[in-house]
Every structure is written in structure tokens, then in C-alpha cells.
Amino acid sequence: MFSRWNWVACGFCLVLNICSPDASGGLVQSCGHIIPESPVLALGSNFTALCILNESCLDFGNIYASQIIWKIKNRLVPKEQYREINRTVSSVTFNDTSSLATPLTCNILADGQIEQNIYGITVTVGLAPEKPKNLSCIVHQLLRFRYVMTCTWNPGRHTFLDTQFRLRYRWPEEIFPDCIPKDVNNSCTITDIQFFVNTEIWVEATNALGKAKSDPLVVDPIDIVKPLPPQNVSISSGILPTVLQLCWVNWISDAMMTLKFNIRYRIVGDTNWMEVPSEDTASPRTSFSVQGLRPYTEYIFSIRCMKEDGVGYWSDWSEEKTGITTEDQPSKGPPIWRIIDTSHSPAFWTVHLIWKALKPFEANGVILQYEVTVRDKSSLSSPVKKYNVTGTNHTLQLREGTYEVSLIARNSVGASPPSVLLIPASNSKAPVKNLRTLPKHDKLWVGWTAPNSYVLKYVIEWCLVSSSSDCIIEWQIALGDVQGIDLKGIKPFKCYLITVYPLYADGQGSGQSVKAYLKQDRPSKGPTVQTKKVGKAEAVLTWNHLTVEEQNGFIRNYTILYKTIDGNETVVTVDPSKTEYTLSSLTSDTLYTVRMMASTDNGSRTGPDFTFTTQKFGKGEIEAIVVPVCLAFLLIVLLGVLFCFNKRDLIKKHIWPIVPDPSKSNIAQWSPQVPAKHNFSSKDQMYPEGSFTDVSVVEIEADDKKSFSEQDLKPFDLLKKEKSTSEGHSSGIGGSSCMSSPRQSVSDSDEGETTQNTSSTVQYSTVVLNGYRDQTPVQVFSRSESTQPLLDSEERSEDHAGGADSTAQRQQYFRQNGGQDETNTDRPCFERTKQITHANEGDLVGFVQLQISGQSSQPLGLGMEKNTQEAAVSNVLQTCTEGQTVRPETVGENPLSVDEMPKSYLPQTVRQGGYMPQ
Amino acid sequence: MAAADSPSAALRRRDLCSRGIRLAGKMRADVVDLLDAYVEQQGLDASASVAAVEGVPLAAVERWDEQTGTQRLLENLAAYRAFRALLAQMLEEQREQLGEADAGLGRALAAVLLQVSAFAYHLEELLRLESRGIPGEEGDGPPPPPRLSLFEQKLRGLGVLRELAQWAVRSVRDLRQLAKPSSATGAAPGLAESP
């Protein structure tokens, strides 16, 4: 930096000199210079610089000190800081050097205010070095005869300047070469160390602004030695199984420094070091016998050393060496316990003897075998049985009784003391009391209150409770004077069943058990709830207990949370032993969401949501509605059945009317003389009183085969209906009255086909006006319902619109059914009357009965004269005519008078359409 | 003696004696090692007999146990001053002969030389504590040794180191004698010990 600005300044000078007219003396001649030249200034101090102009420049260029301006870098220094000392010297003063920068230039304003540089200097600002502090030294032993001393110190504040540090040391009569640090400023290493002479050591810091010297450290280097650790450490087994001997080599001579030592050791696998007491190794030595070790145990050793008087530093620990002690006989017998299986027979036991392998420090070697001795104490005469076992369990088949089992472990050196276990016939002694547990970090403390009797020892059994596997028992023996132990290896969040047995000298107490957790957590899942039964205002919820693996702790309670879609959540707490709960006071026909939460001491977990809808009706409500309805229905049905039963004949006839077959009609016999000609003997019998003398009856032979059935009586029923209806309808073609116009057709099947039948049916009817057998003739229509095709031509003209199909259907219908399955609800009374004539007496009786029961409001006199057919028929006809008042209507429809009516029984259509009888 | 009576002076004296004993012990060990290296490096026979080195008081002395402390200190100081000069000469001759070829031997000589100087300083300090005047070193020191042949130089060097080893042993005993609390500077030490 410095040289660069020098070059810059020289460049300015060169330019000025070149421009200068007074260059005769040489190429380089400056017009001025600055004093001091490149100063090093203390930070914060004041500084004054002078710019001195050359006389030659004054004469030639009219350059004077008053024209001088100062600049820091390119920044003009305020003129208040200038002072013109004389016409060739100008000074500038800075009260604080911290405002200075490099370069500081002296310039002049020549003619025309042209600024020209005269000279420039570099200014270095920094601090004087501070006094180095905290000087300390340590002598490191590098090799057997090679030592170096490293001193460190605090160099103090940063000086911003090049500062040199020197570590100096001397004897009173000898001065040694300085130690100059390389790359650092706070430490230095002296390689030529002389011991046993007090050496004065100090540090000097020097820069352009000054020099500082630390306080001297006077020390004999031998007192600050950190020696090398002992080398070639070896370990050998001693005569005793508890002793190991260590040997090593010191790398520092006694002549120079006597040493003391630290010996540390630990068992392999253990992390804790033990140390040999320091007073045992406080003297110079190259070997040491470590005592009190465990037999047959591998140890790791390490040694370090320092000056015997303790002045100086400990060496590092030597490399670790391993040694193993020799075997010794086992120090104690193995802990033994038993599990008795009496499942086969209470009188015979399967005794599983189990014992724990001795710990290494108890086995003191390799256990070669165990010797089990079983003595039956119930029978002194029984021999003692001995077993040699290499494992840690043995199974015996014993008869129920009291046994004493002793166990010893044997290694290559000897046998252990025996462990004795008394197996009594029964655990009749007092158990422990107040069994409890308490978690302690990663251990589970089990405590109990001792029984009143003296207890030899306790056996603590525990096992991990699992829903999927058997409880694998672990056990531990505690001395009789303790009332609590720590169980190790207990897993958190797992349930353990812990049982404590007290063992007495003469027996054994029964076990007391407790369940415990080392640490609890919230359940890993919540209960899955569902409904068992849902009513109108209540719901029975059921759930299964969480498995022990899912519980993670003691379930303290279950919480049921239920709500409607838009309602508040209701919370119910349930005892953890329950698996069912009934929600009451629910709203009917409402969707509920329910979930269940299981809680331990450490939290809760909620199971999945379950939804259900309460019923609209409560229990019995439906029954209360349905049963009466059903009963009513049944009653109605029953009544209907009874009604139908009573009216069965009528119904039958209504459903299966007797359809006359026109093909078998005896039209030829339709003549006025027919009543006389035709010798219907039967009819004579039918009409004994001659009341129907003039009635022309179309006799259908097909019907002859069929006697009056119950269905045949139906028209009478309908007749009554028409009677009742005709009272409202004085007349009418559609009145379906037997007194209606002859053109009025009568359906053979149902009312829906009435029109068709009307068009397709040729009415073979006439009006009988003559009296019968001297009786006053009654205006009676008689007609045939034959669909004889003889009338096709006429009918076609009348019923051309759709009538043909109906006719065809009707013809087919007649062929198929033969008039047996059809019931014409509008069947004319006379035809029915004719049918009645075929009825026997019994039928009539039934008819009369039906009339009485069905239309009691019409007290007809039929039933009074049922003994004679004549009377019955007469009454029927009378009733029919009277009841239906068909006569005036018929008359109205058919204006033919009695006198005008021909005697011959030609069909009506003959007169109207030219029908000619065949 | 007045200074010796003060507790600080006594501590100082004990410290100097202790340090001097250890220094003499280390010096002896180093000299023994150096002797082996020197014999080997110079091609000498370790059993070669060497005449007494001129200018060095003999370590073996009659009636050692009858000497006073001051006497012991003075004799030791004279001897080590002589050794300092001789070792410096040996070091110079060594450098002339071998240059930097065997820096190890030169460093060992220099280290022993420093130890001799340091021991001489200890002795001077002890003498000051005894309020005894320190004899000045003879202005021009011992007379310059005659110009010796190279072999003679090697033998003389061997003799110097052997004598230094002897003196180191004696110095340890002298300082131990001085370090005893009962030992009066001017009184004769116990008769039981002899070098």
C-alpha cells in the first residue's frame, strides 16, 4: 500500500515537473514536498503536515504557499485547517487522525485555477501495542530426550499496524535467542530447553508506534513439564484370582525427574473407571499390582504420570491394555425357584425347577454344571435324588408333598455354596400385605409390607400380560429384610402382572398379585361402539374392551359422546368394567352420532363414530296401532266371508252367470201359440197358477244341464239393486232395467261391455200382453239374448262403428263359455224367473233366506209362501214389478199399446228392420 | 551469614540446593550419555585411560567430609568454571572438525555446556547467600591450552567429560550436605559421609 501511493505521488511529481518550465537541471525536479514523509500516526492523535514549495518554482511559475490546497484522497480539506507559514510553506492540521485517509496531497491552483499536484504522502494510522498478558508456558516431552516449551499469551488489542511479538528468555548469566512466532501472535515454541535453572521468560510486542513488554515469568522448565505417558504397559495375572500386575517403562530418567502415577481400570463393557489410590502410586516405579479385582474378569488398564512433587502437568493416559484375572470358585449358589403344574392330577406335580445363571462376578469362572439334590421331607425313608444339569432348569415328576431342593454350581476351581428351596405341600403361610408398585425412571419399584413372621426371602414373579400369548414368567429373589425391589427391563406402556411370595424357613406364603405399568400412555385406539338395540327414546350401546396391548395403561373410564347432527354433544362417563350402556331421553326418529373414548391416566383415545337413528314409534306403539287395525281388518274379512258365505249363491250367479246359447234357442217356437202349443209339462208345473202364461221364454238347452246354482240366484240380487236404483231413475236406456227398451242390451259379463253387448246382441224378446190363463195380462217383455248371426246385416248397419269386433268377440265368447261362466248383472227378470222355474224347492228356500237377510228393509212376502212354487214365483214376480216400477218406463219406451201388439212373437226388430223369422 | 538466617534466605538456599542437586544429577546422566556418544563418534576406546585434565580440580579429594560448605562451593565453582571453558573449547573444536556433519553431538555438548553454566550460576547464588564474595574469574581464564593434535584433542575431550561426570556426582553430594538444615556454612559436615 505504501509503495503504491509512493508511486502515485511520484507520478504526480513527474507530471508536475514535466510541465514545469524549469526543467533544465534534469528530468525530475519537484516543485515541493511534504513533511513528514509517510508518517505512522497514533489513532486519535493530532497531526500537522507541511508542504514546502521550491524557490525555483516560485520564480518561474508565480506559485506561492497561499495557493496551496490540501486533499485527502480526492476530498478537499477545509481551508480552516490550512495555515500559511510563509510564502513557500503551508501547513494543515488534523485534530483527530481517525479522519485521515491516504493519500494526503499538496496541490496548487496555478493560473486559470488549474489544480496541479505538488506532492503526496501516505498516512498510516494505528495503535501502539498493548502489554501482552497471561503469559504461560508448558514443556512437552516429545521423545525420551527431547523437550519443547510452548508459551502462550494474550497479545492485546488489534493495532492496525504490523506488530512483532518476541518470546524472550534468559538465565541470569545467559541470554538465549528470541523465539519469534510464525503466523500467529500469541504463542511460540522454544526447542532448546534447559532444566533446573530458573529461566526468565517474557514477551515483547513492537510496532511503529511503540513497544510493550509483558510481565516476566520466572520458572524452572522442569516444573512445567508434561511428560510422555508410561510406555510398553503390560499386564500379567497374579497368583491370586483377584490380582493383576502391571509393568511399564518410563520415558523420563529419574536423574531428570522422578514420577508419580495414576492407574485406572475398568471391567470390559463397563464405562466407569476405577482408580488405584493415588497414595499407592505416589513414588517412582515401573510396576504395580492391582488388587481387589474380581476373579475371571477382564479388565482394562491405563496409566499416566507426572513429576513426583506434583508440580507440572499430568501426562496423557497411556494406551489401554487388557488383562483377565484367573478363575475362582463360585461365590454363591444360583437363585432357584419353581413352577408347579398340577393340571394333570392334584396328587402328582410336575415341578419345573428354574434357576438363574450366576453373574460373572458370582460365577468366578465358567460354570461347568449344576447339581440338583431333591429330598422328600414328607417321607424320611425316601432316598435323596441327585441330578447333574448343564442348563438352568430341570423338571421333576413328584408326588404331592414337601420337598427340599438344593442346587450348587460348579466350575473348574470348585463348587458354590448350595441354594436351598423348600417346596411345601401347600402355600399355607401368611402372604405379604399392601403390595404396591411405583415407577422410578426406567425401573418399576415393587413394595410390600412384610408379614408378621420372619421371612427368609421373597420371590417376585412378573410377566408381561398379553392377549395373544401366555404370560412368560420372570422372577427375582429378594432378601427377607427388604420390603421392595426395583424390577429392571420393564417396558413402558405394557401391563405387568406382579406376584410376590414370601418364603419362610418352614413353608411358603401364598402369592399376592398386582398389575402395574412402568409408564402409561393414552390408549392406542378407542373402543368401537355400536348399538345393540335402538328404541324411540333410548339406545343400547355395546362395545368390546380394548385388548391389553391397546390399552397402554389402566382404563379409568369410558366416555360416551353422542349428539344429533345439529345438537350439542352429550358426554356420559361409564365405568371401565361395563361393555354396555343405555342412552335414554333420546329424541325419536333422529339421527345420532355416537363415539366412545377410553381414558387412561395419561390421555384418551376416541374410537370411530357410529350413527344410528331412533325409531319413530316406541315399543308397543306399532302393536297398539297394528293389532287393532289387523283385528278390525280380520273382523271385516270375517264378516265379509260370512256375508259371502251367506250370499254364496247370489255371488256365484253374479260371477258365473248362465249365458243362454242362442244356437240352441227355439225361436221357431216363438209364437203366440207357444205357451199353448208348447207342451211344457214342466212349465205347467212351474206356473201352476198361470200367472206367467204369456211370458215367452227362451229356453236354452245348455242351461238345462245346469241346475240352479247359487250363482243363478245372483240376478235376483241385482234385480233388487235395479229396483232400488230405478227408483231414482225413472227410465233410461242405460238403466239396465229389465223394463227398458228392447234395444237396450244387457251385458252378459260386466258393465264395461254393456255397450258392446248391446250392439252385438240381438234381442229376441217380445212383450207378452196377454193374460195368462185368464189373468190380467201383465205387460211383460220377453227377450232373447241370442247373438244369432242372422241379424248380422241389421246389426252391421247399426253398429258398424266398432260393433263388428264386439260381435265377433261376443260370438267367440259364447262359443267358448257356452253361457256358463258369464253373469249378466242386468239380466232381465223374466229370464231369471225362467231360471227360477227350474229351481227346485231347496233353491228357493235359499233364495228367500238371502232376501230376508240381505234386504230386510224390503219385507217382501216371498218367504211366507215357500212351500209352493207357484206362490213363490208369483211373489217374486210381484216383487220384481213392484219394486222396480218398470212397467211405466217400459211403456214409455215402447209406445206400443196392448192392442197394437201382435200376438205373434216376432222379434222387435222385425217390425223395425224387416227381420224375418227363420 | 546474616542473610542465611532469614527465612527467605533459607528457603532460597534450600531451593537452590534442591535445584542444583537435580541439575547435577541430570548433568551426570547427560554426560554419561554424551560420553558414550563421544567415544563412539570419535572412534575412541571407552576404556582408554586419560590423564588428568589440566586446570580442573580433581573431584576426588581427601577429607571431603571435613570440608566446610563454603569450601565445597568454592571448589565446585572453580571446577565448573573450568569445565565451562573446556566444554566451550571442545564445542568449538567439534564444529571445526565436523562442521554440521554431526549436529547431534554438538547439540549434546552445547546442552551440557549450558548445564555447567547453570550449575555455576547456582553455586554463585549460594555463595551470595553465604555472604561470601564470589571469586572473580581469572581475567584471561586458564592459560590457553597448548595446541594439541586431533587425537590429543579427542582424548582431552574424553578426559573432560569423564571428570565432569565425576564432579557431577560430587556436586550432588556437596549440595545435599549443604541442604541439610543442621549444616552450618562454615562448619564441617558430618563424618559419616564421604564422596
Side-chain angles (χ1 to χ4, degrees), chain A residues 58 98 109 233 366 691 740 744:
Chain A
L58 298 181
S98 59
L109 287 173
V233 178
V366 179
S691 60
S740 62
Q744 173 65 37

Side-chain angles (χ1 to χ4, degrees), chain A residues 259-505:
Chain A
L259 299 172
K260 66 177 182 180
F261 302 88
N262 267 173
I263 299 174
R264 67 176 184 178
Y265 60 97
R266 62 180 170 92
I267 297 173
V268 171
D270 196 353
T271 56
N272 297 322
W273 288 97
M274 296 167 282
E275 281 199 12
V276 174
S278 58
E279 57 268 25
D280 293 349
T281 55
S283 58
R285 62 181 63 240
T286 57
S287 67
F288 189 81
S289 292
V290 182
Q291 303 175 18
L293 303 177
R294 291 176 182 170
Y296 198 62
T297 305
E298 191 173 16
Y299 285 91
I300 297 173
F301 291 89
S302 182
I303 311 173
R304 66 177 180 175
C305 61
M306 75 175 297
K307 199 148 76 78
E308 186 181 7
D309 58 6
V311 179
Y313 299 92
W314 280 105
S315 71
D316 294 329
W317 288 101
S318 69
E319 61 175 341
E320 295 178 353
K321 289 290 183 179
T322 303
I324 185 168
T325 51
T326 56
E327 285 194 30
D328 196 3
Q329 63 185 20
S331 60
K332 59 177 286 190
I336 185 171
W337 184 233
R338 88 292 175 277
I339 297 173
I340 299 174
D341 183 3
T342 60
S343 59
H344 299 296
S345 170
F348 290 93
W349 293 347
T350 300
V351 179
H352 301 281
L353 295 175
I354 51 178
W355 57 88
K356 292 182 182 295
L358 292 170
K359 294 184 174 68
F361 63 88
E362 297 168 337
N364 292 337
V366 179
I367 299 299
L368 301 176
Q369 69 175 19
Y370 298 94
E371 294 176 9
V372 180
T373 304
V374 181
R375 181 178 292 109
D376 187 352
K377 300 196 75 173
S378 309
S379 171
L380 296 176
S381 60
S382 298
V384 174
K385 296 178 181 176
K386 290 190 175 182
Y387 308 92
N388 291 330
V389 184
T390 55
T392 57
N393 60 75
H394 187 63
T395 301
L396 299 171
Q397 300 293 335
L398 300 175
R399 188 184 297 274
E400 181 186 14
T402 301
Y403 297 90
E404 183 183 88
V405 179
S406 65
L407 176 70
I408 62 173
R410 189 177 291 279
N411 65 10
S412 62
V413 178
S416 70
S419 296
V420 178
L421 175 67
L422 182 67
I423 304 177
S426 63
N427 298 340
S428 57
K429 301 290 182 180
V432 298
K433 293 175 282 188
N434 192 22
L435 183 61
R436 59 204 180 274
T437 62
L438 184 67
K440 283 184 177 177
H441 303 294
D442 59 340
K443 298 173 187 173
L444 186 64
W445 179 82
V446 180
W448 59 87
T449 302
N452 296 327
S453 306
Y454 173 72
V455 177
L456 282 179
K457 50 192 173 185
Y458 298 95
V459 174
I460 300 94
E461 282 185 355
W462 71 92
C463 68
L464 177 64
V465 181
S466 171
S467 61
S468 59
S469 61
D470 293 336
C471 210
I472 299 173
I473 292 176
E474 297 180 72
W475 56 280
Q476 185 175 339
I477 287 182
L479 296 177
D481 57 350
V482 302
Q483 295 190 14
I485 61 166
D486 291 327
L487 300 183
K488 297 176 183 175
I490 302 295
K491 300 174 184 174
F493 318 129
K494 301 291 183 185
C495 182
Y496 285 87
L497 178 65
I498 302 165
T499 307
V500 177
Y501 298 91
L503 303 185
Y504 300 91

Side-chain angles (χ1 to χ4, degrees), chain A residues 562-580:
Chain A
Y562 66 98
K563 63 176 182 178
T564 58
I565 291 177
D566 53 352
N568 291 329
E569 194 168 59
T570 305
V571 178
V572 178
T573 302
V574 183
D575 187 85
S577 62
K578 300 286 180 56
T579 58
E580 186 174 308

Side-chain angles (χ1 to χ4, degrees), chain A residues 439-748:
Chain A
K440 283 184 177 177
H441 303 294
D442 59 340
K443 298 173 187 173
L444 186 64
W445 179 82
V446 180
W448 59 87
T449 302
N452 296 327
S453 306
Y454 173 72
V455 177
L456 282 179
K457 50 192 173 185
Y458 298 95
V459 174
I460 300 94
E461 282 185 355
W462 71 92
C463 68
L464 177 64
V465 181
S466 171
S467 61
S468 59
S469 61
D470 293 336
C471 210
I472 299 173
I473 292 176
E474 297 180 72
W475 56 280
Q476 185 175 339
I477 287 182
L479 296 177
D481 57 350
V482 302
Q483 295 190 14
I485 61 166
D486 291 327
L487 300 183
K488 297 176 183 175
I490 302 295
K491 300 174 184 174
F493 318 129
K494 301 291 183 185
C495 182
Y496 285 87
L497 178 65
I498 302 165
T499 307
V500 177
Y501 298 91
L503 303 185
Y504 300 91
D506 55 348
Q508 178 178 314
S510 59
Q512 292 290 303
S513 297
V514 65
K515 283 186 176 178
Y517 284 87
L518 175 64
K519 193 184 292 183
Q520 295 189 49
D521 195 4
R522 62 175 186 158
S524 56
K525 62 176 287 191
T528 301
V529 66
Q530 56 186 357
T531 54
K532 181 181 178 183
K533 183 180 176 184
V534 178
K536 180 181 179 184
E538 69 283 332
V540 180
L541 304 178
T542 61
W543 62 90
N544 292 325
H545 285 304
L546 297 177
T547 64
V548 69
E549 287 83 2
E550 294 168 343
Q551 291 180 4
N552 293 335
F554 292 114
I555 300 296
R556 298 304 183 191
N557 58 59
Y558 290 119
T559 305
I560 299 172
L561 306 101
Y562 66 98
K563 63 176 182 178
T564 58
I565 291 177
D566 53 352
N568 291 329
E569 194 168 59
T570 305
V571 178
V572 178
T573 302
V574 183
D575 187 85
S577 62
K578 300 286 180 56
T579 58
E580 186 174 308
Y581 185 79
T582 301
L583 300 178
S584 57
S585 302
L586 303 179
T587 307
S588 63
D589 195 22
T590 303
L591 179 67
Y592 279 89
T593 300
V594 62
R595 57 199 168 100
M596 194 153 183
M597 183 169 67
S599 302
T600 66
D601 292 338
N602 285 56
S604 306
R605 182 83 72 175
T606 305
D609 286 353
F610 182 82
T611 57
F612 65 90
T613 304
T614 52
Q615 294 185 352
K616 193 169 185 176
F617 299 101
K619 181 180 180 183
E621 286 185 5
I622 294 178
E623 288 84 347
I625 295 171
V626 170
V627 169
V629 169
C630 291
L631 289 175
F633 177 75
L634 288 174
L635 186 61
I636 293 170
V637 169
L638 185 61
L639 291 175
V641 168
L642 288 174
F643 177 79
C644 292
F645 182 76
N646 289 334
K647 300 279 187 178
R648 60 185 182 278
D649 293 337
L650 189 62
I651 293 171
K652 184 176 179 182
K653 183 172 282 185
H654 191 74
I655 295 175
W656 294 287
I658 299 171
V659 179
D661 187 355
S663 64
K664 295 181 180 179
S665 64
N666 296 321
I667 192 87
Q669 296 176 359
W670 288 14
S671 63
Q673 299 81 8
V674 167
K677 287 179 180 179
H678 289 191
N679 186 17
F680 292 115
S681 59
S682 59
K683 289 179 179 177
D684 291 339
Q685 295 173 356
M686 288 173 61
Y687 307 113
E689 294 179 5
S691 60
F692 280 87
T693 302
D694 294 334
V695 172
S696 177
V697 175
V698 177
E699 184 172 353
I700 301 171
E701 291 182 1
D703 291 340
D704 293 340
K705 297 176 182 178
K706 187 175 182 180
S707 62
F708 281 132
S709 64
E710 293 175 358
Q711 294 177 355
D712 295 333
L713 298 176
K714 190 173 180 181
F716 285 96
D717 187 19
L718 297 175
L719 184 63
K720 289 180 173 60
K721 286 184 181 177
E722 289 176 356
K723 173 188 174 186
S724 61
T725 55
S726 62
E727 290 174 356
H729 302 282
S730 59
S731 65
I733 296 174
S736 67
S737 169
C738 57
M739 298 302 175
S740 62
S741 168
R743 298 190 64 86
Q744 173 65 37
S745 68
V746 178
S747 171
D748 290 336

Side-chain angles (χ1 to χ4, degrees), chain B residues 91-190:
Chain B
L91 187 59
E92 187 177 349
E93 291 170 354
Q94 182 72 20
R95 285 173 181 160
E96 287 176 357
Q97 292 168 18
L98 303 175
E100 299 298 326
D102 193 346
L105 184 61
R107 278 200 299 271
L109 271 173
V112 170
L113 175 58
L114 279 173
Q115 290 170 2
V116 168
S117 299
F119 196 75
Y121 164 73
H122 279 143
L123 296 172
E124 290 172 359
E125 286 295 304
L126 283 168
L127 280 171
R128 284 194 192 94
L129 285 174
E130 300 293 336
S131 302
R132 295 286 181 175
I134 299 172
E137 292 191 56
E138 296 174 7
D140 45 2
R147 192 65 184 175
L148 299 176
S149 66
L150 182 59
F151 182 72
E152 288 170 335
Q153 288 177 6
K154 291 180 179 180
L155 285 179
R156 191 190 60 180
L158 182 59
V160 168
L161 293 178
R162 280 180 176 172
E163 195 61 33
L164 179 58
Q166 293 284 337
W167 265 106
V169 175
R170 178 184 165 176
S171 298
V172 170
R173 300 180 71 89
D174 285 334
L175 290 179
R176 281 181 179 160
Q177 202 68 27
L178 286 168
K180 288 181 179 176
S182 61
S183 66
T185 309

